């Protein structure tokens, strides 16, 4: 049995897959296997992978089934005591896996370790730091308030703990990471590595995102958690809801702005303040900035992209 299995789902990832694979095979923890689940790619992803010579690399091809199904397929094939996942456009720092293994070993009862995340653009250049939380232990309530782990490319999970919760919910079309983290946190403790080892690629020119689908799936995850642990989570419902909608506002206002994004952001803002009216006094400056940017989305013609960039989120 290898120490760690890394599962990498990919669908048409030719532009980034080689760099992502290199970041995994360059880990200081060499006792690993890299399981690539080719999810029906139609580009030259497989041609690129075929040129990589490393005995730890294992490639499996399946008909397209989506991210959660691909992760679950990888989990079934994995031989490692610990499992980690990385998306085909994200990157890891070399100490990521080893640091997380050491953090779990040093934390009594921990089954999951997470690191800090930083955000990069399409070319791999630094955009901004992530949340960089230092909390550890029982994180169930904290994770219900917000998914501060930030991506599915982050955590290292003890295999038996992941199998116990059934892996990823394949019916979810978004928020599957948050759902998985919540199910793990309900039963297990988390360890933290307070270093930025995960680099999440965030396109800066995305024309559209299905915010409505993301909203609906996040609400499904919230309601499921509330049903499972009402005594622990019900007092946090309103605060969690407001944090979710503030997050959705920031996603909707990523450039380029347009009228659909502007109206969507305004609706999300209204929902956030309705769930938690204290925002109107506690976060006045933030709400004002987000409101102005939403209005810009409604009014600025696409002929003035420089003005849209001027009001883009940092």
């Amino acid at each position: 049995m290898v120490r760690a299995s890394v599962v990498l789902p990919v669908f048409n990832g030719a532009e980034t897959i080689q760099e992502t694979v290199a970041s995994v095979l360059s880990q200081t923890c060499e006792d690993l296997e890299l399981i690539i689940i080719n999810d029906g790619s139609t580009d030259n992803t497989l041609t690129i992978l075929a040129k990589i010579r490393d005995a730890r690399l294992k490639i499996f091809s399946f008909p397209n089934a989506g991210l959660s199904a691909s992760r679950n397929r990888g989990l079934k094939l994995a031989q490692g005591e610990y499992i980690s996942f990385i998306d085909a456009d994200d990157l890891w720092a070399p100490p990521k896996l080893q640091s997380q293994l050491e953090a779990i070993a040093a934390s009594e009862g921990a089954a999951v370790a997470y690191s800090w995340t930083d955000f990069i653009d399409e070319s791999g250049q630094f955009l901004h730091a992530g949340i960089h939380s230092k909390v550890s232990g029982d994180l169930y309530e904290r994770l219900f308030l917000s998914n501060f782990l930030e991506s599915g490319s982050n955590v290292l999970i003890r295999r038996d703990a992941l199998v116990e919760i059934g892996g990823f919910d394949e019916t979810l079309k978004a928020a599957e990471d948050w759902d998985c983290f919540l199910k793990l946190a309900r039963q297990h403790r988390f360890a933290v590595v307070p270093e930025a080892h995960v680099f999440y690629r965030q396109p800066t020119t995305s024309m559209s995102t299905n915010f409505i689908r993301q909203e609906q799936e996040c609400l499904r995850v919230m309601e499921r958690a509330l049903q499972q642990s009402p005594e622990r989570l019900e007092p946090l419902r309103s605060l969690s809801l407001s944090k979710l909608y503030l997050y959705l506002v920031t996603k909707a206002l990523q450039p380029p702005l347009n009228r659909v994004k502007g109206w969507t952001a305004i609706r999300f803002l209204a929902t956030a303040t309705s769930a938690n009216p204290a925002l109107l006094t506690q976060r006045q400056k933030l709400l004002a900035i987000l409101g102005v940017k939403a209005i810009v989305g409604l009014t600025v013609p696409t002929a003035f992209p420089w003005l849209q960039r001027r009001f883009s989120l940092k």
Side-chain angles (χ1 to χ4, degrees), residues 240-299:
S240 178
L241 201 60
S242 67
K243 286 179 175 289
L244 168 62
Y245 276 95
L246 283 179
Y247 165 77
L248 290 172
V249 171
T250 63
K251 299 297 288 185
L253 292 178
Q254 288 177 351
L257 300 176
N258 56 49
R259 291 182 62 84
V260 172
K261 287 185 172 183
W263 281 120
T264 302
I266 288 173
R267 181 174 71 81
F268 288 164
L269 269 175
T271 306
T273 54
S274 176
N276 182 18
L279 288 174
L280 295 170
T281 55
Q282 296 174 354
R283 307 295 298 274
Q284 286 181 332
K285 183 177 180 180
L286 174 63
L287 294 181
I289 292 172
L290 294 175
V292 168
K293 290 176 179 178
I295 292 171
V296 169
L298 295 176
T299 60

Side-chain angles (χ1 to χ4, degrees), residues 137-181:
D138 181 357
L139 301 186
Y140 192 39
E141 284 87 353
R142 289 179 180 268
L143 275 169
F144 180 70
L145 288 175
S146 68
N147 180 15
F148 59 86
L149 305 186
E150 302 191 277
S151 85
S153 297
N154 190 339
V155 295
L156 178 74
I157 310 165
R158 205 175 65 219
R159 177 190 171 83
D160 61 344
L162 188 56
V163 171
E164 180 184 12
I165 65 165
F168 292 86
D169 183 348
E170 297 180 21
T171 70
L172 289 169
K173 304 305 179 185
E176 61 281 339
D177 299 334
W178 189 27
D179 178 67
C180 180
F181 300 156

